[in-house]
Amino acid sequence: MTILKSIHSYMEGGHYGPPNCTPVQKVAIIVPYRDRKKQLQVFLNNMIPKLKRQQLEFAIYVIEQKSGLPFNRGMMANIGFKEAVSDMEYDCIVFHDVDVLPEDDRNFYVCSDNPIHMSVKVEQFGYRLIYEKLAGGIITFSKEQFEKINGYSNQFFGWGGEDDDLYRRIKFNKYELIRPFEDFGICGSVNHEPAEKNSDRRKFLKYSYEVWKNDGLSNLKYNLLRKEKKHLYRWIYVSI
């Protein structure tokens, strides 16, 4: 991290703004996180210069779940959203897996009239879209879009399910999940140990339509243990 700080000295408190232009959008990058220190270093070293080249004003939020319960990526995403929008008025919120890295600068970190799926063809899955309803990896929302769908479900502990539920929330609210940069949506993968799977994910998905209005941002509860502006990112440490 000391070396990364010196390389990316232009960052300040996890935030960057281009000095010579007005950015087209202000973007918050939300990274749900636990036990991925090496992957986080690779992520920061790749993503910070990429976002800088796109001349965006951006801040990176690393949302770390305290050990104990199985990892809940959906809740970490919801918490990141709440904490980010309390800091400043962002035009675009990007939910980003720490182990997925875009390989083409033409894959733009911006929001549109509909949610955007950015990680279309990922190395881990043979550089192909594995199914049409895929909403995992990297996805963008405006503040209004994410609030309208009530965020992610809070029910999914362990790997899997929350992205499929998210896709349904997008459709329930008459949005289209678009892939405007599909030709450039090629992403590398950073290797790590497999996560613990969620054995109940199919059960929860059965009731998506019935519960989405009451399960998400609207009933989110967490304990904020630390919120700190590090040089390269903003660290939010929570228990749930």
Side-chain angles (χ1 to χ4, degrees):
M1 279 297 184
T2 304
I3 296 170
L4 290 178
K5 287 179 189 177
S6 65
I7 294 171
H8 308 298
S9 58
Y10 46 84
M11 294 290 288
E12 185 176 348
H15 174 269
Y16 172 80
N20 300 316
C21 72
T22 301
V24 65
Q25 290 188 358
K26 297 176 182 177
V27 182
I29 311 294
I30 309 296
V31 185
Y33 174 82
R34 186 163 76 180
D35 300 331
R36 295 280 184 265
K37 184 177 179 181
K38 290 182 179 179
Q39 287 77 23
L40 179 61
Q41 292 173 351
V42 173
F43 174 86
L44 294 169
N45 196 41
N46 280 268
M47 289 308 307
I48 289 172
K50 179 179 290 293
L51 294 162
K52 181 173 180 278
R53 289 194 298 270
Q54 293 191 4
Q55 295 186 308
L56 297 168
E57 181 176 347
F58 67 91
I60 296 174
Y61 290 81
V62 175
I63 320 302
E64 182 172 359
Q65 180 183 332
K66 184 181 178 182
S67 60
L69 292 171
F71 187 57
N72 189 318
R73 180 175 171 272
M75 281 192 78
M76 294 305 106
N78 287 340
I79 293 166
F81 174 82
K82 289 274 193 182
E83 294 294 332
V85 299
S86 72
D87 283 353
M88 65 181 291
E89 191 171 330
Y90 289 104
D91 303 300
C92 187
I93 315 292
V94 182
F95 299 96
H96 209 304
D97 283 358
V98 72
D99 60 346
V100 178
L101 300 174
E103 297 181 3
D104 195 311
D105 279 7
R106 293 169 292 184
N107 198 2
F108 293 113
Y109 279 73
V110 293
C111 282
S112 184
D113 294 336
N114 287 280
I116 297 173
H117 185 227
M118 296 180 63
S119 51
V120 183
K121 301 165 186 174
V122 180
E123 180 183 8
Q124 179 184 355
F125 305 118
Y127 287 113
R128 61 189 177 87
L129 181 64
I130 52 176
Y131 58 99
E132 277 298 322
K133 297 179 180 180
L134 183 66
I138 314 171
I139 189 168
T140 79
F141 291 90
S142 69
K143 179 176 181 288
E144 293 74 21
Q145 290 164 1
F146 197 66
E147 288 176 338
K148 186 174 180 181
I149 70 168
N150 200 21
Y152 281 83
S153 169
N154 297 318
Q155 300 298 316
F156 293 87
F157 287 86
W159 180 85
E162 77 283 344
D163 290 326
D164 294 318
D165 182 86
L166 184 74
Y167 181 86
R168 295 179 183 193
R169 290 169 182 246
I170 291 168
K171 302 304 285 186
F172 294 157
N173 286 278
K174 311 300 182 186
Y175 289 121
E176 293 295 324
L177 181 61
I178 61 173
R179 300 184 175 98
F181 312 119
E182 183 165 353
D183 291 344
F184 312 128
I186 302 165
C187 299
S189 301
V190 184
N191 293 332
H192 58 77
E193 292 296 320
E196 179 183 349
K197 289 189 176 182
N198 180 348
S199 58
D200 293 324
R201 60 189 185 278
R202 289 185 177 86
K203 179 178 72 175
F204 289 131
L205 284 170
K206 282 177 64 177
Y207 301 103
S208 293
Y209 186 74
E210 286 84 354
V211 303
W212 73 268
K213 291 180 182 179
N214 301 310
D215 168 31
L217 294 174
S218 60
N219 70 335
L220 179 65
K221 294 179 181 178
Y222 61 98
N223 294 316
L224 180 61
L225 304 177
R226 294 281 297 275
K227 185 171 182 178
E228 184 178 329
K229 290 183 179 180
K230 296 180 180 290
H231 182 69
L232 299 176
Y233 60 92
R234 297 180 177 182
W235 179 49
I236 296 170
Y237 186 48
V238 298
S239 64
I240 55 175

